[in-house]
Amino acid sequence: MMSDCIFCKIVEGKIPAKKVYEDDDLLAFHDINPAAPVHVLVIPKQHVESLADCDASHAAVLGKLFVKVGEIAAGLGLNDGFRTIVNTGRVGGQEVYHLHAHILGGPQPVGPLVTRV
Ligand code: AMP
Ligand code: ZN
């Protein structure tokens, strides 16, 4: 655990979160500042900063995370689809440096992926 990491603190129960799923390796909770009617974050419990910091040792948990994204989305009733975003680093717009996948959904389409150049 990284002592100054906000998502590690959520994993440790030191900061509250509205949890939607938890197992030994993963935690999912509602984003505190939602960008869509449904906005959930899925994180590995073990701290890793971003996809840029992953190697082969992270393959199993990353695979498990993305399988669980679909299951969590189904559990949230996102039957018409959803968007999954993983921001990486400064250019990717990452704000919290503990790897997380955003699940965004709602009754309406969530909008364009990015503004085209
Ligand atoms: P990113 O820009 O991909 O790093 O996204 C970080 C996300 O974490 C943002 O959507 C924030 O609203 C969200 N966030 C920050 N702090 C918390 C918190 N304590 N509980 C839930 N979500 C949070
Ligand atoms: Zn962390």
Side-chain angles (χ1 to χ4, degrees):
M1 298 292 172
M2 294 277 286
S3 56
D4 58 346
C5 170
I6 194 163
F7 287 177
C8 281
K9 286 180 180 158
I10 288 175
V11 169
E12 293 165 1
K14 292 178 180 162
I15 290 179
K18 240 174 105 183
K19 295 180 185 179
V20 297
Y21 177 79
E22 182 167 17
D23 65 25
D24 286 348
D25 302 313
L26 303 173
L27 179 65
F29 52 90
H30 288 276
D31 196 292
I32 204 167
N33 185 21
V38 177
H39 188 169
V40 163
L41 305 174
V42 189
I43 70 169
K45 284 188 170 178
Q46 190 177 348
H47 182 89
V48 60
E49 283 197 8
S50 76
L51 287 179
D53 301 284
C54 288
D55 58 28
S57 73
H58 300 96
V61 75
L62 288 176
K64 189 172 173 182
L65 188 152
F66 279 100
V67 169
K68 201 53 75 176
V69 162
E71 294 178 13
I72 291 168
L76 293 165
L78 302 177
N79 301 315
D80 289 333
F82 55 90
R83 178 160 303 149
T84 309
I85 297 174
V86 182
N87 293 321
T88 301
R90 178 182 64 84
V91 172
Q94 186 172 5
E95 293 172 4
V96 177
Y97 280 80
H98 181 133
L99 177 65
H100 52 281
H102 298 253
I103 300 174
L104 297 151
Q108 306 303 325
V110 294
L113 178 60
V114 290
T115 306
R116 293 189 189 281
V117 291

